[in-house]
């Protein structure tokens, strides 16, 4: 029983710590602390809060939703060889393309570094999510125009998790 309880306790502790961090940020009046300054997207903290809210609503309503993790391939190489300013341009362009790939009711966030997350609500069929994931991959196939006039090809890897089939908590 202890082996079964340990992951649940870790998940609960992580949620509690995240909730405390979120409350502390809000109490300090730093709403901007919930937004990624580079991309303007929700950051990890706000995404986790929205995900927890979405899970609670889905448990109540029986709704299905999907969470996608979008990771830029070889981003460290872009930063190392072309510089951080080019890396920032790539992250901003990716953020715009991800936002354009989903509905206004969906959440797109910059989770960390070159990782983005998306929560797609009100899913009727898994094929709908797969189409959106394909749309994201295709959007990234279009070369990115950089400030100096050059172009850069970036690719992404996408992971998908369905609620409640694959997981019932944010962890």
């Amino acid at each position: 029983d202890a082996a079964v309880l340990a992951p649940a306790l870790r998940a609960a502790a992580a949620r509690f710590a995240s909730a405390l961090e979120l409350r502390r940020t809000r109490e300090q009046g730093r709403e901007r602390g919930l937004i990624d300054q580079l991309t303007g997207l929700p950051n990890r903290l706000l995404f986790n809060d929205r995900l927890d809210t979405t899970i609670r609503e889905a448990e109540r309503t029986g709704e299905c939703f999907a969470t996608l993790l979008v990771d830029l391939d070889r981003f460290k190489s872009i930063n190392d060889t072309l510089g951080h300013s080019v890396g920032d341009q790539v992250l901003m362009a990716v953020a715009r393309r991800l936002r354009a790939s989903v509905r206004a009711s969906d959440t797109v966030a910059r989770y960390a570094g070159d990782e983005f997350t998306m929560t797609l609500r009100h899913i009727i069929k898994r094929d709908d999510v797969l189409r959106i994931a394909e749309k994201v991959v295709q959007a990234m196939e279009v070369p990115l125009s950089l400030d100096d006039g050059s172009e850069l090809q970036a690719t992404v890897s996408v992971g998908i998790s369905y609620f409640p089939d694959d997981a019932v908590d944010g962890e």
Side-chain angles (χ1 to χ4, degrees):
D1 283 342
V4 172
L5 214 58
L9 289 175
R10 276 196 301 274
R15 276 196 306 277
F16 183 70
S18 180
L20 285 176
E21 186 179 352
L22 178 66
R23 184 170 41 166
R24 185 174 50 250
T25 299
R26 283 188 171 146
E27 286 172 355
Q28 292 172 351
R30 297 183 331 185
E31 289 296 321
R32 71 180 183 277
L34 300 175
I35 301 297
D36 177 65
Q37 296 301 301
L38 179 65
T39 64
L41 294 174
N43 65 15
R44 173 192 53 81
L45 189 59
L46 183 54
F47 174 80
N48 286 336
D49 182 61
R50 287 184 180 176
L51 181 60
D52 286 343
T53 299
T54 301
I55 289 169
R56 284 193 305 275
E57 288 175 9
E59 288 172 341
R60 226 179 26 256
T61 64
E63 171 191 350
C64 295
F65 71 89
T67 300
L68 282 66
L69 176 64
V70 180
D71 187 65
L72 275 164
D73 299 329
R74 297 178 298 282
F75 182 71
K76 183 179 179 336
S77 173
I78 291 171
N79 266 342
D80 289 349
T81 59
L82 301 174
H84 289 278
S85 66
V86 170
D88 287 351
Q89 289 176 56
V90 170
L91 292 170
M92 290 184 292
V94 168
R96 285 191 300 273
R97 290 181 183 190
L98 293 178
R99 195 68 223 126
S101 298
V102 298
R103 302 163 293 192
S105 62
D106 297 324
T107 297
V108 177
R110 182 171 176 209
Y111 202 75
D114 64 335
E115 294 178 359
F116 294 83
T117 52
M118 306 168 77
T119 299
L120 311 178
R121 307 224 17 217
H122 313 296
I123 299 302
I124 307 298
K125 298 181 294 193
R126 285 180 177 241
D127 287 352
D128 296 337
V129 175
L130 296 177
R131 274 194 287 283
I132 292 169
E134 183 60 32
K135 186 176 179 182
V136 166
V137 170
Q138 288 173 352
M140 293 310 303
E141 288 176 352
V142 177
L144 304 170
S145 298
L146 302 176
D147 290 346
D148 67 2
S150 63
E151 290 186 337
L152 177 73
Q153 180 72 49
T155 58
V156 295
S157 298
V158 180
I160 303 172
S161 177
Y162 295 94
F163 177 91
D165 297 348
D166 296 328
V168 294
D169 64 37
E171 287 298 312

